[in-house]
Amino acid sequence: MGETTDSEAELQFPHANIVAARAIRGVLESSLGPLSHDTLIESRAGKTEREPGEPETRVDTVSSDGATILEELPVEHPMGPIIRRLVAPERPGTTDVEGELVPDGIATTVVLLGALLDEGERLLEMGVHPTTIEDGYSAALDCVEQTMETLSRPLESFDDPTAAAEMVARSAMTGNDVGNARETWASGAVEAARQIGMPDEETLAIRQIRSGSIDDSRLVFGTVLDRNDICDERMPHRVTDANVLVISGFKRGKANDGKTGGLQDPDFQQDGERLVIESPDEIDAFDDVFATRREEVVAGLVEAGVDVVVTRTGINDAYQELLVEHGIVGIRGVNRLKLAQLASATGATPVVDPTDVTPADLGHAGLVEQQTIDKRQGRRKRRRMVVFDECSDPASVTFLLRGVHGQLGAQAATEIRKAVAAVATAMGETTGPAGVLPGGGATELELADSLRDAALEADGREQLAVQAFADATDRFVSTLARNAGMDTLTTLTSLREATTNATNGTAPGLVFPAGEIDDVLEAGLLDPTAVRLRCYQHAVDVASLVLRVDDALDATFSEEPTQPGEAIYDEHAENHQAYLDEQDDTIWHE
């Protein structure tokens, strides 16, 4: 065995990083596919957080959604946060942001990442340099992008584009069909995507109601104020062809000038000031000023044609009397997000000063109706909500989910958001390519064939990396089969045979729950091209990063410089060097 150079001796085998990524893959692997399994993630409050005698608190998460599992998974290894951050967008932590972006394809990305790292580890043991593996994976990704471009079909190319879009929505909810409502929600997801495009927290709202059946859930072309009701029982509870005024803003500190977020009288007494009243007549004079102002404000609303006024803050009793007198509906105390959703749905321009309202500021709703819904705990009266429906060309819509609440409701909301986002992505509402690809592993089989052909044309040792990439895509299909209880070797062999003998226009793949090999296009298994491509891009990015990192240092600040041997993974580097010492046929000995 020849002598190794300094550069060869410094190469360190990134085994610990690969093991960490493989562990995360092992957790998410069972959540892949339509016959996925739920994962239980247990979290317990520490003893220091409990009062004396208080029982231990358990906060368990049960989910088969890859993004949820990855977010809740307690990972202490340094590579864990890196994988989580690169694979999925950062979440706001403990902040509960309603309508935040729900990423799709997380389980697919992590499973592909694990397969690429398994293959990369095998190549490293053969003596292939990490840079060579990275170059080979990059070349393979180029081949993947070209093949996907060839396989991708726009929704308009199908005989029934709407039915194809519903297939995309159903595929996005595969494995998480809450209440067997996937068929019903798919049509609503398509309608929502066509109306608002790519959803966000303002354009797509989801409201959950305990009462009713899950089959009664529907898409509202407008918004639903599920925590607010009409402020006076004498006001109309149903208004058609309604002009809607939205008063935004907020009360600044202790001072209220009557122009900040509601219909209230100004506060003349501010910090450091006081009113001096010398006679009862002066009190009446002040009251007359308030009364005159209120009448002028409401008269302005009537002149502008306001039917419904919705405020950020309050509507005092005197204003309520005037609104009742003129038949105007008042709704108060609506939070900022719901107020923004209402403005987007109705087309209203939020105003701050109620004395300066014009018809151009008003939005429109075909129907505004107060409905009685859930029974309040410990109370006789049932909770109420106000529905703004039949808005013309709304920029915000609402999914009204009935019969769900708690963790089940949260999971249903997540799946609906994923479905709407998937359809919007397939329609080209994102920066990625529009179109759809066949699911059920059919695309992966085509990619594997293209990669093996490309490997024959690759230069030098990159050929090994491209071939390894093809094997990794096969592992993805094997995982789908294994989660469904099928024999992986037999299934993969049969799929390859079916792909080879496939006629033009068909895409053999795994069709579940039947567990058969059939045409996935006929079965309605379609995935957005951009989502599938993003899975491969992220998997390659993270795999390349993990393979490049060959050491980690303790970042604790110290006055003393880091000494040799203080690397966190120094033991693994020594093991790899021992391996090289025992071999004489690796690249490092040429």
Side-chain angles (χ1 to χ4, degrees), residues 407-468:
Q407 186 170 341
L408 184 64
Q411 183 175 346
T414 297
E415 296 311 308
I416 289 175
R417 290 192 180 281
K418 286 170 59 177
V420 177
V423 175
T425 301
M427 293 167 53
E429 295 290 340
T430 60
T431 56
V436 294
L437 292 168
T443 296
E444 277 63 38
L445 292 172
E446 293 287 352
L447 292 176
D449 289 343
S450 298
L451 287 167
R452 290 188 173 94
D453 292 339
L456 299 177
E457 302 177 1
D459 297 331
R461 291 178 176 267
E462 286 186 13
Q463 183 179 106
L464 297 175
V466 177
Q467 177 67 39

Side-chain angles (χ1 to χ4, degrees), residues 68-366:
T68 302
I69 296 172
L70 187 61
E71 181 182 11
E72 298 293 336
L73 193 65
V75 181
E76 297 181 359
H77 192 279
M79 291 304 300
I82 296 176
I83 295 174
R84 179 185 289 135
R85 184 168 58 251
L86 292 179
V87 170
E90 288 192 69
R91 300 295 191 91
T94 56
T95 303
D96 184 14
V97 179
E98 179 182 354
E100 62 179 319
L101 177 63
V102 178
D104 195 11
I106 300 303
T108 298
T109 304
V110 175
V111 169
L112 285 171
L113 168 63
L116 290 175
L117 290 177
D118 286 343
E119 295 295 329
E121 184 178 31
R122 180 177 60 83
L123 293 177
L124 286 172
E125 292 175 348
M126 293 171 57
V128 181
H129 195 277
T131 301
T132 304
I133 300 174
E134 182 182 356
D135 292 341
Y137 281 179
S138 178
L141 182 60
D142 291 338
C143 178
V144 167
E145 293 175 352
Q146 295 172 7
T147 305
M148 283 189 178
E149 183 179 357
T150 302
L151 296 175
S152 180
R153 291 180 57 182
L155 291 175
E156 293 75 15
S157 68
F158 290 84
D159 294 336
D160 188 345
T162 299
E166 291 179 359
M167 294 176 188
V168 174
R170 285 194 294 269
S171 296
M173 293 184 283
T174 295
N176 299 278
D177 189 4
V178 178
N180 296 320
R182 190 173 54 156
E183 296 292 333
T184 302
W185 293 348
S187 59
V190 173
E191 290 183 80
R194 287 178 172 172
Q195 182 61 42
I196 64 173
M198 196 66 181
D200 58 29
E201 67 278 2
E202 183 175 316
T203 59
L204 178 62
I206 298 181
R207 307 284 189 253
Q208 303 171 22
I209 301 175
R210 292 172 178 260
S211 60
S213 168
I214 197 170
D215 293 332
D216 298 329
S217 303
R218 68 184 182 95
L219 180 66
V220 176
F221 280 81
T223 194
V224 177
L225 304 180
D226 59 333
R227 299 294 177 181
N228 303 90
D229 56 6
I230 295 173
C231 60
D232 193 297
E233 289 292 335
R234 296 170 294 172
M235 295 177 178
H237 288 192
R238 178 184 173 90
V239 181
T240 58
D241 195 24
N243 293 322
V244 181
L245 172 65
V246 175
I247 301 181
S248 184
F250 57 93
K251 186 175 180 179
R252 294 188 291 267
K254 298 180 180 179
N256 173 26
D257 57 6
K259 301 179 181 180
T260 50
L263 295 177
Q264 303 180 77
D265 296 327
D267 293 335
F268 286 130
Q269 184 173 349
Q270 301 186 18
D271 292 343
E273 299 179 359
R274 62 178 181 172
L275 294 175
V276 179
I277 304 297
E278 296 181 352
S279 69
D281 293 338
E282 293 183 0
I283 297 178
D284 294 337
F286 278 116
D287 288 340
D288 291 342
V289 171
F290 288 144
T292 300
R293 182 182 184 278
R294 288 193 294 266
E295 292 174 356
E296 291 176 351
V297 169
V298 175
L301 301 185
V302 173
E303 183 178 355
V306 175
D307 297 310
V308 180
V309 56
V310 184
T311 68
R312 173 71 181 90
T313 57
I315 302 176
N316 67 22
D317 293 343
Y319 270 109
Q320 290 182 36
E321 289 293 334
L322 290 173
L323 294 179
V324 169
E325 180 181 336
H326 291 87
I328 299 176
V329 176
I331 304 169
R332 58 187 174 181
V334 180
N335 69 34
R336 290 185 180 87
L337 177 58
K338 292 180 180 179
L339 208 63
Q341 291 167 345
L342 175 62
S344 296
T346 60
T349 301
V351 300
V352 175
D353 186 356
T355 64
D356 186 22
V357 176
T358 66
D361 298 323
L362 306 184
H364 180 269

Side-chain angles (χ1 to χ4, degrees), residues 503-541:
T503 58
N504 189 27
T506 62
L510 297 176
V511 178
F512 300 107
E516 299 175 347
I517 297 176
D518 205 345
D519 183 9
V520 295
L521 297 178
E522 183 70 22
L525 302 181
L526 298 176
D527 296 324
T529 302
V531 172
R532 183 65 71 181
L533 178 59
R534 186 167 62 244
C535 291
Y536 279 85
Q537 291 171 337
H538 287 177
V540 171
D541 288 343

Side-chain angles (χ1 to χ4, degrees), residues 13-93:
F13 183 35
H15 178 69
N17 296 335
I18 295 176
V19 169
R22 185 183 293 135
I24 297 175
R25 186 268 308 270
V27 175
L28 271 73
E29 200 170 37
S30 63
S31 66
L32 182 70
L35 298 181
S36 58
H37 304 275
D38 287 336
T39 299
L40 170 64
I41 302 176
E42 178 183 337
S43 175
R44 297 186 178 183
K47 295 182 179 180
T48 57
E49 300 177 2
R50 291 183 288 149
E51 297 293 334
E54 182 181 353
E56 186 176 17
T57 303
R58 294 172 58 103
V59 182
D60 299 336
T61 299
V62 179
S63 178
S64 59
D65 175 62
T68 302
I69 296 172
L70 187 61
E71 181 182 11
E72 298 293 336
L73 193 65
V75 181
E76 297 181 359
H77 192 279
M79 291 304 300
I82 296 176
I83 295 174
R84 179 185 289 135
R85 184 168 58 251
L86 292 179
V87 170
E90 288 192 69
R91 300 295 191 91

